[in-house]
Amino acid sequence: MKKLIDKKMPKGGFLRAVSVLVGGTAGSQVVLIATSPILTRLYTPSDFGILAVFVSIIGILGVIASLRYELAIPLPRNDDRAINVLALSVISLISLTTLLSIIIWLFGNDFLVLINSPELGSYLWLLPAAFALMGGYQTLQYWSLRYKDFGLIAKTKILQSTSTTVLQMAGSVLGPLALIGGRVIGQLLSFIMMLRGSRHTIISIKANISD
């Protein structure tokens, strides 16, 4: 079977790359679907409502996490330029995460009134962390795409969905905190795996970052 797969989808081939990425995404979705009946018995609809608001906010803010510079990482032919785009993405992410933290600290209550979600107040402090982790993961994902490390991307997606659901089930007594915290920790673990998998290519050319 392995020989047949290697023959039909040789390593480095487009079809194999697409299959790996689709397989990783599909696998992560299967985990979420398979565990959803359990989670719906552990949490109330209002708990999921709080999670939905949190995820929606992160989804909207995550679009500009690195000011979209990460999209340009796979484009340069020269690695020297690519590492500088990566550095620019990281700097943008750190700056925006700091700005978001200050806004939440100063205007958190006003923000909750604006979105009409006062129940999210106890978990608002997790927003900057989730924002930073999403942006960091997206940046490293495009770096991995540049080096065609599709297997790493697939593994991180499966790790994130698996760790998230396990933590959410294990911490059900904590209510929405476990739902949101499980998701953030899942993001953290997938980010760490992505960072460890990418560090050798980053370290090899990090000296070429321009001042």
Side-chain angles (χ1 to χ4, degrees), residues 57 102-118 120-121 124 127:
I57 294 172
I102 294 172
I103 291 174
I104 290 176
W105 180 47
L106 294 177
F107 308 107
N109 292 332
D110 296 329
F111 176 69
L112 294 174
V113 172
L114 180 65
I115 64 174
N116 194 28
S117 298
L120 190 63
L124 202 57
L127 271 176

Side-chain angles (χ1 to χ4, degrees), residues 42-151:
L42 295 174
Y43 296 94
T44 65
S46 62
D47 293 338
F48 282 107
I50 295 173
L51 175 64
V53 174
F54 185 90
V55 171
S56 298
I57 294 172
I58 291 301
I60 294 171
L61 295 177
V63 174
I64 60 167
S66 298
L67 296 178
R68 309 312 283 161
Y69 286 121
E70 74 276 8
L71 296 176
I73 291 175
L75 301 181
R77 294 183 179 181
N78 191 312
D79 284 342
D80 292 354
R81 293 184 178 179
I83 193 67
N84 280 283
V85 176
L86 175 67
L88 182 59
S89 299
V90 173
I91 292 171
S92 300
L93 177 60
I94 294 173
S95 300
L96 288 177
T97 301
T98 302
L99 178 61
L100 178 61
S101 301
I102 294 172
I103 291 174
I104 290 176
W105 180 47
L106 294 177
F107 308 107
N109 292 332
D110 296 329
F111 176 69
L112 294 174
V113 172
L114 180 65
I115 64 174
N116 194 28
S117 298
E119 65 278 1
L120 190 63
S122 300
Y123 318 103
L124 202 57
W125 58 276
L126 287 169
L127 271 176
F131 176 81
L133 290 170
M134 174 177 282
Y137 179 85
Q138 288 175 168
T139 299
L140 291 177
Q141 178 177 261
Y142 279 98
W143 184 263
S144 297
L145 285 173
R146 175 179 178 80
Y147 285 91
K148 297 180 174 58
D149 199 348
F150 306 112

Side-chain angles (χ1 to χ4, degrees), residues 11 36 99 120 130 132 135 147 152 157 169 183 208:
K11 291 183 178 180
S36 60
L99 178 61
L120 190 63
Y147 285 91
L152 175 61
K157 289 184 180 296
M169 288 189 291
R183 185 179 181 86
N208 297 324

